[in-house]
């Protein structure tokens, strides 16, 4: 069972999307320097399709649902993403603390995925030294067989220092 705590609309978690961010509790990863250690505990309300439907209805204008966590039960995250894709026009994203090659699941229901634990000395997605990666998933078909392509778009989280300098000079 998945539980969630806070829900908020965000503008920077998924590039070019207005995102309903749902914080999932029960995180088993426990990153040093975690900004939300309260999510390590299994707290909050159960997240199931009827609740997700209500959250979406109360937040008109969002274009994407981001499951922030859920590493203790990726199959439930996958089921909820499947529900979103079958019942809405919204995009889906999963913020996981695991590495991409350690995630055993089908990505057919996701448009984006953030992978990797937070490492304090490397910083988050906006750091040029981060170990985390943010992927846009393309769903392709070749020779009649479906497959997923992962485009690394982590760079979209970083400020372009050259552009910022030229703008400040104007």
């Amino acid at each position: 069972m998945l539980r969630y705590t806070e829900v908020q609309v965000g503008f920077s978690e998924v590039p070019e999307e207005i995102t309903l961010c749902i914080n999932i509790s029960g995180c088993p990863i426990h990153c040093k320097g975690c900004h939300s250690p309260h999510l390590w505990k299994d707290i909050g309300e159960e997240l199931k399709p009827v609740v997700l439907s209500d959250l979406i209805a109360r937040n008109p204008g969002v274009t994407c649902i981001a499951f922030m966590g859920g590493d203790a039960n990726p199959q439930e995250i996958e089921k909820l993403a499947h529900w979103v894709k079958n019942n809405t026009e919204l995009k889906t994203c999963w913020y996981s603390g695991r590495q991409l090659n350690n995630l055993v699941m089908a990505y057919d229901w996701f448009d984006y995925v953030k992978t990797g634990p937070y490492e304090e000395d490397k910083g988050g997605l906006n750091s040029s030294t981060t170990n985390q990666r943010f992927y846009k998933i393309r769903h392709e078909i070749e020779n009649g067989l479906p497959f997923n392509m992962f485009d690394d778009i982590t760079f979209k989280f970083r400020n372009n220092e050259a552009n910022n300098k030229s703008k400040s000079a104007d």
Side-chain angles (χ1 to χ4, degrees):
M1 167 181 22
L2 286 178
R3 295 183 185 278
Y4 77 101
T5 57
E6 304 87 15
V7 175
Q8 66 183 37
V9 174
F11 301 95
S12 60
E13 289 76 11
V14 179
E16 302 166 12
E17 301 292 345
I18 302 169
T19 306
L20 183 63
C21 303
I22 303 171
N23 289 325
I24 309 296
S25 66
C27 181
I29 299 179
H30 300 199
C31 302
K32 181 181 177 193
C34 174
H35 63 72
S36 302
H38 67 285
L39 294 176
W40 298 354
K41 298 175 187 168
D42 188 18
I43 57 173
E45 298 179 44
E46 183 177 358
L47 184 59
K48 49 191 175 182
V50 66
V51 173
L52 191 52
S53 178
D54 182 56
L55 292 172
I56 292 167
R58 288 191 282 146
N59 290 280
V62 299
T63 60
C64 184
I65 301 295
F67 301 100
M68 312 299 280
D71 288 293
N73 200 338
Q75 295 79 18
E76 289 299 314
I77 294 292
E78 187 177 356
K79 286 179 189 176
L80 288 171
H82 182 212
W83 182 89
V84 169
K85 286 301 196 180
N86 283 329
N87 293 282
T88 76
E89 298 293 319
L90 300 173
K91 294 179 183 170
T92 56
C93 176
W94 183 26
Y95 264 63
S96 172
R98 300 198 189 278
Q99 298 296 345
L100 186 61
N101 59 349
N102 291 337
L103 294 172
V104 180
M105 64 186 318
Y107 289 96
D108 300 337
W109 315 117
F110 294 96
D111 297 287
Y112 305 95
V113 64
K114 189 279 307 177
T115 63
Y118 175 72
E119 293 183 17
E120 224 172 0
D121 62 325
K122 295 180 179 166
L125 287 171
N126 62 347
S127 169
S128 62
T129 59
T130 189
N131 62 296
Q132 298 177 320
R133 291 290 169 261
F134 194 89
Y135 299 98
K136 183 173 187 171
I137 303 171
R138 287 186 290 127
H139 307 286
E140 305 283 337
I141 296 178
E142 187 173 300
N143 298 326
L145 298 173
F147 66 97
N148 297 318
M149 294 293 295
F150 293 78
D151 296 329
D152 188 339
I153 61 168
T154 309
F155 67 91
K156 290 190 174 197
F157 289 88
R158 298 187 194 116
N159 290 329
N160 185 329
E161 292 179 27
N163 283 343
N164 291 340
K165 286 178 184 174
S166 69
K167 287 178 185 174
S168 64
D170 291 339

